[in-house]
Amino acid sequence: MESNVIKNLMCKYKRPFYIYDEKIIAGQIKKLKSNFPEFEFLYSIKTNPNKNIVEFVAKNGIGGDAASKNEVFKSMSAKMPKEKIIYSAPGKTKQDIEETYDKCIITADSYHELELINEVAKEHNINLRVGLRINSNYAIEGGDILPNKFGVDEESLLDNKKFINSLQNIKICGIHVHLKSQILNYETLYNYYKDVLELAIFCVEEIGFDMDYINFGGGLGIAYSDREQELEVDSLGKKCKELINGFKEKLNCRLIIESGRFIVCKSGTYVTYVIDKKVSRGANYLIVANGYNGFHKPSLAEMAFSCAKDEREKIAPVEPMFTSYDAYEVKVLNESKEIEKVTVCGNLCTAADLLGKNLALPKAEIGDIIVVTNAGSYGFTLSPVLFSSHDIPYEIYLDSSQNAIISEY
């Protein structure tokens, strides 16, 4: 993003902000559509529920992966059609189902949820076509098959076939599987998709599902740093085309992939400014507005790194809270040629409020602008913006005509 755009906006608003670039979002959507023409796409609303972003992806034919009833409502407000909104989350209540059954496709996360949906349908004297999330019997990266809070275990389906057939007011018409996020190896994703297709055939032939759609979940990763290699979406797209052709005779239904960070992560930049600078026993500190309570993920990365000491590459990701120790680059927007080692921290009363420790940055002065990259996904939505009751950062949407739109909440 052009630094003069950021500088002008900071001069105008004098407050930390997130800025999302529509052009980058458009480019990522184009990349998905051109490489996976056989698939439909859902945007994972929880990744970044910004109103302008959700409306833009909707205009581009992307549906909504809703993880709550309110995300169903956000999808509707963006004019997504009912058949392109899939509500999939654990722990749905009867009230959640009552308020959404006619606005989306509901994916049950348990056998109890199937009962609840059937009960609601019976009370309204209707029949509903619903999905079922399945915890597949597949280790996506090898190892043991682990228990999971999401979905029903694949091996439990046959034992519950009689129960499923007893539900008179619902018909299972789709399956949803999601095992892992932030996958960068296209062969890993290909093998996973193949397993999901085989599971879908089993559900049709052995359990009797009337398959309208297969939701492969997400998993499409992005390279956060130079240490990582970008996902080869072109190679994955080619292999998926061959894969789908081999299953067409047995499965003629919608094929769906969810995407969140792949679409929006790199479109976002977090912008703040230096309030104060100090030296403590030879160490340089830059104090910025809204550090941890503006963009929390760099602070969590620093916490993880401090716990692991020199074993940073061995730290397991905990998505979406922690991705990697070097997932975010901190920059100073000035013309200084002098480099100094500094710790960039926020203005909260906690030592955990760090954007970066011992960074080599251009020498900054009070008032200089600090930016953090990769802030388009799980940034504002997960940060503790109410901590210490500071002013909350703005969200600014930069459309394709370079109009800066302050987002509404």
Side-chain angles (χ1 to χ4, degrees):
M1 191 175 296
E2 294 292 334
S3 62
N4 65 314
V5 172
I6 290 174
K7 289 177 180 178
N8 289 339
L9 289 169
M10 181 60 79
C11 183
K12 180 177 181 180
Y13 293 112
K14 298 178 176 59
R15 187 170 183 165
F17 57 85
Y18 286 83
I19 184 165
Y20 310 121
D21 191 338
E22 182 179 276
K23 288 182 179 178
I24 294 176
I25 297 172
Q28 293 297 94
I29 291 173
K30 183 178 179 181
K31 192 179 293 185
L32 289 176
K33 287 185 171 183
S34 61
N35 284 288
F36 306 99
E38 301 87 4
F39 289 87
E40 298 177 33
F41 293 93
L42 303 180
Y43 173 62
S44 180
I45 308 292
K46 63 181 177 291
T47 313
N48 189 331
N50 179 274
K51 178 175 180 287
N52 299 100
I53 290 176
V54 178
E55 288 180 350
F56 181 74
V57 299
K59 287 177 183 175
N60 280 269
I62 308 294
D65 165 42
S68 69
K69 67 179 181 184
N70 289 328
E71 289 191 347
V72 172
F73 303 151
K74 286 178 182 288
S75 301
M76 289 179 59
S77 295
K79 296 182 170 54
M80 292 179 182
K82 172 184 174 179
E83 66 274 10
K84 286 195 171 186
I85 305 171
I86 298 185
Y87 178 12
S88 180
K92 293 186 239 12
T93 65
K94 186 175 180 181
Q95 183 177 347
D96 293 332
I97 296 163
E98 283 275 10
E99 294 184 36
T100 57
Y101 74 86
D102 58 346
K103 300 174 178 65
C104 64
I105 297 171
I106 298 178
T107 296
D109 197 77
S110 68
Y111 294 118
H112 171 63
E113 281 191 16
L114 286 175
E115 283 185 301
L116 286 179
I117 300 168
N118 188 68
E119 187 178 324
V120 170
K122 186 175 181 180
E123 289 171 359
H124 290 272
N125 195 28
I126 57 174
N127 293 295
L128 290 175
R129 297 178 71 79
V130 303
L132 180 64
R133 180 160 180 173
I134 300 174
N135 181 26
S136 71
N137 189 17
Y138 180 74
I140 195 166
E141 291 184 331
D144 296 331
I145 306 298
L146 300 175
N148 197 323
K149 72 176 261 188
F150 300 102
V152 302
D153 292 342
E154 176 182 342
E155 57 269 29
S156 73
L157 290 170
L158 278 174
D159 290 340
N160 285 276
K161 181 177 179 179
K162 185 176 180 180
F163 161 75
I164 291 169
N165 290 336
S166 73
L167 302 170
Q168 297 298 308
N169 289 80
I170 63 173
K171 184 72 175 175
I172 298 178
C173 67
I175 64 168
H176 174 202
V177 183
H178 175 78
L179 297 181
K180 193 174 186 298
S181 298
Q182 186 52 16
I183 299 171
L184 295 174
N185 186 306
Y186 78 89
E187 291 182 335
T188 299
L189 281 167
Y190 167 79
N191 290 328
Y192 164 65
Y193 292 167
K194 182 179 179 182
D195 181 77
V196 174
L197 286 169
E198 290 170 349
L199 172 59
I201 290 174
F202 170 81
C203 289
V204 171
E205 295 181 348
E206 301 297 329
I207 313 298
F209 290 3
D210 187 17
M211 200 71 71
D212 290 340
Y213 72 89
I214 302 168
N215 185 347
F216 294 82
L220 300 173
I222 62 161
Y224 277 87
S225 68
D226 293 338
R227 181 175 54 85
E228 298 174 315
Q229 185 175 345
E230 291 284 2
L231 173 66
E232 297 177 40
V233 290
D234 53 343
S235 298
L236 178 60
K238 290 173 184 175
K239 293 208 66 164
C240 282
K241 186 173 183 178
E242 297 170 5
L243 177 65
I244 291 164
N245 285 337
F247 281 83
K248 272 185 177 177
E249 287 186 12
K250 292 186 176 181
L251 294 169
N252 183 23
C253 60
R254 299 166 63 192
L255 305 176
I256 299 170
I257 294 176
E258 298 167 358
S259 181
R261 83 183 75 211
F262 188 90
I263 292 176
V264 295
C265 182
K266 292 186 180 295
S267 76
T269 303
Y270 180 62
V271 184
T272 184
Y273 61 93
V274 180
I275 299 172
D276 199 358
K277 57 183 298 188
K278 61 177 70 174
V279 178
S280 174
R281 298 187 175 118
N284 298 309
Y285 288 86
L286 298 179
I287 313 297
V288 304
N290 296 79
Y292 177 57
N293 61 329
F295 186 20
H296 82 301
K297 292 197 76 174
S299 293
L300 292 184
E302 286 295 332
M303 292 179 206
F305 176 52
S306 66
C307 291
K309 299 187 184 297
D310 294 329
E311 299 183 2
R312 36 187 167 176
E313 292 198 22
K314 296 181 182 178
I315 304 172
V318 183
E319 296 292 354
M321 301 298 182
F322 169 68
T323 301
S324 69
Y325 71 92
D326 57 352
Y328 311 95
E329 185 177 1
V330 178
K331 301 179 181 181
V332 181
L333 295 191
N334 64 21
E335 304 300 323
S336 176
K337 303 297 183 185
E338 183 180 351
I339 302 297
E340 66 176 357
K341 184 174 285 189
V342 296
T343 292
V344 182
C345 47
N347 55 343
L348 294 176
C349 293
T350 168
D353 186 11
L354 293 171
L355 290 183
K357 194 173 183 179
N358 297 325
L359 304 176
L361 297 175
K363 186 173 182 178
E365 303 298 336
I366 293 172
D368 279 352
I369 293 173
I370 303 290
V371 300
V372 188
T373 61
N374 293 333
S377 60
Y378 304 110
F380 183 88
T381 187
L382 285 180
S383 296
V385 294
L386 298 180
F387 188 8
S388 289
S389 300
H390 286 279
D391 290 338
I392 296 175
Y394 286 134
E395 287 187 290
I396 299 175
Y397 185 80
L398 193 68
D399 70 15
S400 56
S401 299
Q402 298 288 288
N403 297 309
I405 304 164
I406 294 285
S407 298
E408 301 174 7
Y409 301 119

